[in-house]
PDB file of all heavy atoms in Angstrom:
ATOM      1  N   ASN A  51      -7.410  -5.975 -14.195  1.00 98.00           N
ATOM      2  CA  ASN A  51      -7.283  -5.081 -13.040  1.00 98.00           C
ATOM      3  C   ASN A  51      -5.857  -4.952 -12.511  1.00 98.00           C
ATOM      4  O   ASN A  51      -5.514  -3.932 -11.922  1.00 98.00           O
ATOM      5  CB  ASN A  51      -8.267  -5.486 -11.932  1.00 98.00           C
ATOM      6  CG  ASN A  51      -7.914  -6.788 -11.240  1.00 98.00           C
ATOM      7  OD1 ASN A  51      -7.284  -7.657 -11.831  1.00 98.00           O
ATOM      8  ND2 ASN A  51      -8.337  -6.918  -9.997  1.00 98.00           N
ATOM      9  N   LYS A  52      -5.007  -5.968 -12.684  1.00 98.00           N
ATOM     10  CA  LYS A  52      -3.657  -5.882 -12.132  1.00 98.00           C
ATOM     11  C   LYS A  52      -2.816  -4.808 -12.827  1.00 98.00           C
ATOM     12  O   LYS A  52      -1.886  -4.258 -12.238  1.00 98.00           O
ATOM     13  CB  LYS A  52      -2.951  -7.237 -12.217  1.00 98.00           C
ATOM     14  CG  LYS A  52      -3.688  -8.384 -11.533  1.00 98.00           C
ATOM     15  CD  LYS A  52      -4.064  -8.050 -10.108  1.00 98.00           C
ATOM     16  CE  LYS A  52      -4.717  -9.197  -9.348  1.00 98.00           C
ATOM     17  NZ  LYS A  52      -5.911  -9.792  -9.958  1.00 98.00           N
ATOM     18  N   LYS A  55      -2.956  -1.499 -11.117  1.00 98.00           N
ATOM     19  CA  LYS A  55      -2.093  -1.419  -9.933  1.00 98.00           C
ATOM     20  C   LYS A  55      -0.641  -1.178 -10.341  1.00 98.00           C
ATOM     21  O   LYS A  55       0.087  -0.399  -9.706  1.00 98.00           O
ATOM     22  CB  LYS A  55      -2.195  -2.719  -9.137  1.00 98.00           C
ATOM     23  CG  LYS A  55      -3.602  -3.047  -8.660  1.00 98.00           C
ATOM     24  CD  LYS A  55      -3.625  -4.388  -7.948  1.00 98.00           C
ATOM     25  CE  LYS A  55      -5.037  -4.761  -7.495  1.00 98.00           C
ATOM     26  NZ  LYS A  55      -5.055  -6.001  -6.705  1.00 98.00           N
ATOM     27  N   HIS A  80      -2.824 -14.176 -12.048  1.00 95.00           N
ATOM     28  CA  HIS A  80      -2.906 -13.125 -13.068  1.00 95.00           C
ATOM     29  C   HIS A  80      -1.965 -11.985 -12.694  1.00 95.00           C
ATOM     30  O   HIS A  80      -1.372 -11.343 -13.550  1.00 95.00           O
ATOM     31  CB  HIS A  80      -4.338 -12.563 -13.138  1.00 95.00           C
ATOM     32  CG  HIS A  80      -5.373 -13.573 -13.527  1.00 95.00           C
ATOM     33  ND1 HIS A  80      -6.678 -13.499 -13.129  1.00 95.00           N
ATOM     34  CD2 HIS A  80      -5.281 -14.691 -14.280  1.00 95.00           C
ATOM     35  CE1 HIS A  80      -7.360 -14.524 -13.628  1.00 95.00           C
ATOM     36  NE2 HIS A  80      -6.532 -15.261 -14.318  1.00 95.00           N
ATOM     37  N   TRP A  81      -1.887 -11.739 -11.408  1.00 97.00           N
ATOM     38  CA  TRP A  81      -1.033 -10.668 -10.900  1.00 97.00           C
ATOM     39  C   TRP A  81       0.426 -10.908 -11.272  1.00 97.00           C
ATOM     40  O   TRP A  81       1.113 -10.023 -11.779  1.00 97.00           O
ATOM     41  CB  TRP A  81      -1.218 -10.570  -9.381  1.00 97.00           C
ATOM     42  CG  TRP A  81      -0.047 -10.013  -8.645  1.00 97.00           C
ATOM     43  CD1 TRP A  81       0.705 -10.658  -7.699  1.00 97.00           C
ATOM     44  CD2 TRP A  81       0.524  -8.706  -8.788  1.00 97.00           C
ATOM     45  NE1 TRP A  81       1.695  -9.833  -7.254  1.00 97.00           N
ATOM     46  CE2 TRP A  81       1.610  -8.634  -7.898  1.00 97.00           C
ATOM     47  CE3 TRP A  81       0.216  -7.608  -9.583  1.00 97.00           C
ATOM     48  CZ2 TRP A  81       2.402  -7.498  -7.782  1.00 97.00           C
ATOM     49  CZ3 TRP A  81       1.017  -6.479  -9.480  1.00 97.00           C
ATOM     50  CH2 TRP A  81       2.079  -6.430  -8.581  1.00 97.00           C
ATOM     51  N   ALA A 155       0.484 -10.552  -2.281  1.00 96.00           N
ATOM     52  CA  ALA A 155      -0.334 -11.215  -3.303  1.00 96.00           C
ATOM     53  C   ALA A 155      -1.269 -10.208  -3.963  1.00 96.00           C
ATOM     54  O   ALA A 155      -1.798  -9.308  -3.310  1.00 96.00           O
ATOM     55  CB  ALA A 155      -1.146 -12.335  -2.664  1.00 96.00           C
ATOM     56  N   GLY A 156      -1.430 -10.348  -5.273  1.00 98.00           N
ATOM     57  CA  GLY A 156      -2.373  -9.497  -5.992  1.00 98.00           C
ATOM     58  C   GLY A 156      -1.904  -8.069  -6.178  1.00 98.00           C
ATOM     59  O   GLY A 156      -2.631  -7.243  -6.734  1.00 98.00           O
ATOM     60  N   SER A 158      -1.652  -5.991  -3.869  1.00 98.00           N
ATOM     61  CA  SER A 158      -2.530  -5.189  -3.021  1.00 98.00           C
ATOM     62  C   SER A 158      -1.795  -4.514  -1.868  1.00 98.00           C
ATOM     63  O   SER A 158      -2.142  -4.681  -0.698  1.00 98.00           O
ATOM     64  CB  SER A 158      -3.699  -6.038  -2.514  1.00 98.00           C
ATOM     65  OG  SER A 158      -4.606  -6.257  -3.572  1.00 98.00           O
ATOM     66  N   THR A 190     -17.406  -6.394  -7.240  1.00 99.00           N
ATOM     67  CA  THR A 190     -16.132  -6.897  -7.748  1.00 99.00           C
ATOM     68  C   THR A 190     -15.730  -8.155  -7.002  1.00 99.00           C
ATOM     69  O   THR A 190     -16.076  -8.338  -5.837  1.00 99.00           O
ATOM     70  CB  THR A 190     -15.007  -5.843  -7.606  1.00 99.00           C
ATOM     71  OG1 THR A 190     -13.795  -6.390  -8.189  1.00 99.00           O
ATOM     72  CG2 THR A 190     -14.707  -5.505  -6.151  1.00 99.00           C
ATOM     73  N   ALA A 191     -14.993  -9.022  -7.695  1.00 98.00           N
ATOM     74  CA  ALA A 191     -14.373 -10.158  -7.017  1.00 98.00           C
ATOM     75  C   ALA A 191     -13.285  -9.635  -6.088  1.00 98.00           C
ATOM     76  O   ALA A 191     -12.659  -8.607  -6.365  1.00 98.00           O
ATOM     77  CB  ALA A 191     -13.768 -11.112  -8.049  1.00 98.00           C
ATOM     78  N   VAL A 192     -13.084 -10.330  -4.972  1.00 98.00           N
ATOM     79  CA  VAL A 192     -12.026  -9.977  -4.023  1.00 98.00           C
ATOM     80  C   VAL A 192     -11.067 -11.159  -3.907  1.00 98.00           C
ATOM     81  O   VAL A 192     -11.439 -12.229  -3.426  1.00 98.00           O
ATOM     82  CB  VAL A 192     -12.601  -9.660  -2.627  1.00 98.00           C
ATOM     83  CG1 VAL A 192     -11.480  -9.428  -1.624  1.00 98.00           C
ATOM     84  CG2 VAL A 192     -13.529  -8.457  -2.693  1.00 98.00           C
ATOM     85  N   GLY A 193      -9.841 -10.939  -4.403  1.00 98.00           N
ATOM     86  CA  GLY A 193      -8.825 -11.984  -4.298  1.00 98.00           C
ATOM     87  C   GLY A 193      -7.727 -11.596  -3.329  1.00 98.00           C
ATOM     88  O   GLY A 193      -7.100 -12.436  -2.690  1.00 98.00           O
ATOM     89  N   SER A 194      -7.471 -10.289  -3.224  1.00 98.00           N
ATOM     90  CA  SER A 194      -6.416  -9.804  -2.325  1.00 98.00           C
ATOM     91  C   SER A 194      -6.761  -8.428  -1.755  1.00 98.00           C
ATOM     92  O   SER A 194      -5.945  -7.830  -1.078  1.00 98.00           O
ATOM     93  CB  SER A 194      -5.079  -9.744  -3.060  1.00 98.00           C
ATOM     94  OG  SER A 194      -5.122  -8.768  -4.088  1.00 98.00           O
ATOM     95  N   ALA A 195      -7.944  -7.908  -2.070  1.00 98.00           N
ATOM     96  CA  ALA A 195      -8.530  -6.719  -1.438  1.00 98.00           C
ATOM     97  C   ALA A 195      -8.218  -5.373  -2.086  1.00 98.00           C
ATOM     98  O   ALA A 195      -8.924  -4.391  -1.843  1.00 98.00           O
ATOM     99  CB  ALA A 195      -8.192  -6.641   0.063  1.00 98.00           C
ATOM    100  N   GLY A 196      -7.199  -5.288  -2.909  1.00 98.00           N
ATOM    101  CA  GLY A 196      -6.809  -3.980  -3.442  1.00 98.00           C
ATOM    102  C   GLY A 196      -7.883  -3.328  -4.306  1.00 98.00           C
ATOM    103  O   GLY A 196      -8.122  -2.117  -4.194  1.00 98.00           O
ATOM    104  N   THR A 197      -8.528  -4.122  -5.133  1.00 99.00           N
ATOM    105  CA  THR A 197      -9.544  -3.571  -6.029  1.00 99.00           C
ATOM    106  C   THR A 197     -10.715  -3.030  -5.212  1.00 99.00           C
ATOM    107  O   THR A 197     -11.146  -1.882  -5.393  1.00 99.00           O
ATOM    108  CB  THR A 197     -10.006  -4.639  -7.029  1.00 99.00           C
ATOM    109  OG1 THR A 197      -8.853  -5.105  -7.745  1.00 99.00           O
ATOM    110  CG2 THR A 197     -11.022  -4.094  -8.017  1.00 99.00           C
ATOM    111  N   ALA A 198     -11.225  -3.833  -4.290  1.00 99.00           N
ATOM    112  CA  ALA A 198     -12.373  -3.417  -3.470  1.00 99.00           C
ATOM    113  C   ALA A 198     -11.999  -2.232  -2.571  1.00 99.00           C
ATOM    114  O   ALA A 198     -12.785  -1.294  -2.405  1.00 99.00           O
ATOM    115  CB  ALA A 198     -12.872  -4.595  -2.631  1.00 99.00           C
ATOM    116  N   GLU A 290     -13.530 -16.028 -16.365  1.00 93.00           N
ATOM    117  CA  GLU A 290     -12.768 -17.217 -15.950  1.00 93.00           C
ATOM    118  C   GLU A 290     -13.367 -17.703 -14.632  1.00 93.00           C
ATOM    119  O   GLU A 290     -14.079 -16.945 -13.957  1.00 93.00           O
ATOM    120  CB  GLU A 290     -11.261 -16.919 -15.850  1.00 93.00           C
ATOM    121  CG  GLU A 290     -10.879 -15.592 -15.240  1.00 93.00           C
ATOM    122  CD  GLU A 290     -11.339 -15.445 -13.820  1.00 93.00           C
ATOM    123  OE1 GLU A 290     -10.896 -16.268 -12.996  1.00 93.00           O
ATOM    124  OE2 GLU A 290     -12.138 -14.517 -13.532  1.00 93.00           O
ATOM    125  N   TYR A 293     -12.301 -15.916 -10.483  1.00 97.00           N
ATOM    126  CA  TYR A 293     -12.705 -14.616  -9.945  1.00 97.00           C
ATOM    127  C   TYR A 293     -14.043 -14.144 -10.521  1.00 97.00           C
ATOM    128  O   TYR A 293     -15.034 -14.011  -9.813  1.00 97.00           O
ATOM    129  CB  TYR A 293     -11.668 -13.532 -10.274  1.00 97.00           C
ATOM    130  CG  TYR A 293     -10.297 -13.749  -9.702  1.00 97.00           C
ATOM    131  CD1 TYR A 293      -9.319 -14.430 -10.405  1.00 97.00           C
ATOM    132  CD2 TYR A 293      -9.982 -13.242  -8.452  1.00 97.00           C
ATOM    133  CE1 TYR A 293      -8.052 -14.612  -9.874  1.00 97.00           C
ATOM    134  CE2 TYR A 293      -8.716 -13.419  -7.917  1.00 97.00           C
ATOM    135  CZ  TYR A 293      -7.760 -14.107  -8.642  1.00 97.00           C
ATOM    136  OH  TYR A 293      -6.515 -14.277  -8.114  1.00 97.00           O
ATOM    137  N   THR A 294     -14.000 -13.817 -11.830  1.00 98.00           N
ATOM    138  CA  THR A 294     -15.128 -13.094 -12.416  1.00 98.00           C
ATOM    139  C   THR A 294     -16.403 -13.933 -12.463  1.00 98.00           C
ATOM    140  O   THR A 294     -17.494 -13.391 -12.286  1.00 98.00           O
ATOM    141  CB  THR A 294     -14.763 -12.589 -13.829  1.00 98.00           C
ATOM    142  OG1 THR A 294     -14.050 -13.615 -14.525  1.00 98.00           O
ATOM    143  CG2 THR A 294     -13.884 -11.360 -13.729  1.00 98.00           C
ATOM    144  N   THR A 317     -12.896  -7.832 -14.440  1.00 98.00           N
ATOM    145  CA  THR A 317     -11.505  -7.572 -14.060  1.00 98.00           C
ATOM    146  C   THR A 317     -10.504  -8.455 -14.802  1.00 98.00           C
ATOM    147  O   THR A 317      -9.298  -8.324 -14.604  1.00 98.00           O
ATOM    148  CB  THR A 317     -11.360  -7.817 -12.551  1.00 98.00           C
ATOM    149  OG1 THR A 317     -12.112  -8.984 -12.202  1.00 98.00           O
ATOM    150  CG2 THR A 317     -11.881  -6.643 -11.748  1.00 98.00           C
ATOM    151  N   HIS A 318     -11.011  -9.351 -15.634  1.00 96.00           N
ATOM    152  CA  HIS A 318     -10.174 -10.383 -16.263  1.00 96.00           C
ATOM    153  C   HIS A 318      -9.667  -9.926 -17.629  1.00 96.00           C
ATOM    154  O   HIS A 318     -10.475  -9.515 -18.459  1.00 96.00           O
ATOM    155  CB  HIS A 318     -11.027 -11.644 -16.426  1.00 96.00           C
ATOM    156  CG  HIS A 318     -10.332 -12.780 -17.091  1.00 96.00           C
ATOM    157  ND1 HIS A 318      -9.075 -13.190 -16.744  1.00 96.00           N
ATOM    158  CD2 HIS A 318     -10.734 -13.621 -18.081  1.00 96.00           C
ATOM    159  CE1 HIS A 318      -8.739 -14.226 -17.495  1.00 96.00           C
ATOM    160  NE2 HIS A 318      -9.715 -14.506 -18.310  1.00 96.00           N
ATOM    161  N   GLY A 319      -8.347 -10.020 -17.859  1.00 94.00           N
ATOM    162  CA  GLY A 319      -7.816  -9.451 -19.099  1.00 94.00           C
ATOM    163  C   GLY A 319      -6.929 -10.330 -19.947  1.00 94.00           C
ATOM    164  O   GLY A 319      -5.771  -9.993 -20.171  1.00 94.00           O
TER     165      GLY A 319
HETATM  166  C1  PLP B 401      -6.801 -10.427  -8.983  1.00 75.73           C
HETATM  167  C2  PLP B 401      -8.107 -10.475  -9.640  1.00 75.73           C
HETATM  168  C3  PLP B 401      -9.264 -10.009  -9.000  1.00 75.73           C
HETATM  169  C4  PLP B 401      -9.288  -9.523  -7.575  1.00 75.73           C
HETATM  170  O1  PLP B 401      -8.656  -8.312  -7.360  1.00 75.73           O
HETATM  171  P1  PLP B 401      -7.929  -8.058  -5.956  1.00 75.73           P
HETATM  172  O2  PLP B 401      -7.493  -6.665  -6.034  1.00 75.73           O
HETATM  173  O3  PLP B 401      -6.783  -9.036  -5.916  1.00 75.73           O
HETATM  174  O4  PLP B 401      -8.901  -8.343  -4.868  1.00 75.73           O
HETATM  175  C5  PLP B 401     -10.459 -10.061  -9.676  1.00 75.73           C
HETATM  176  N1  PLP B 401     -10.512 -10.551 -10.929  1.00 75.73           N
HETATM  177  C6  PLP B 401      -9.432 -11.020 -11.577  1.00 75.73           C
HETATM  178  C7  PLP B 401      -9.592 -11.569 -12.940  1.00 75.73           C
HETATM  179  C8  PLP B 401      -8.201 -11.005 -10.955  1.00 75.73           C
HETATM  180  O5  PLP B 401      -7.128 -11.492 -11.600  1.00 75.73           O
END
Side-chain angles (χ1 to χ4, degrees):
N51 70 332
K52 303 308 184 305
K55 301 177 182 185
H80 298 151
W81 154 242
S158 286
T190 183
V192 174
S194 66
T197 303
E290 41 61 61
Y293 298 91
T294 42
T317 41
H318 178 47

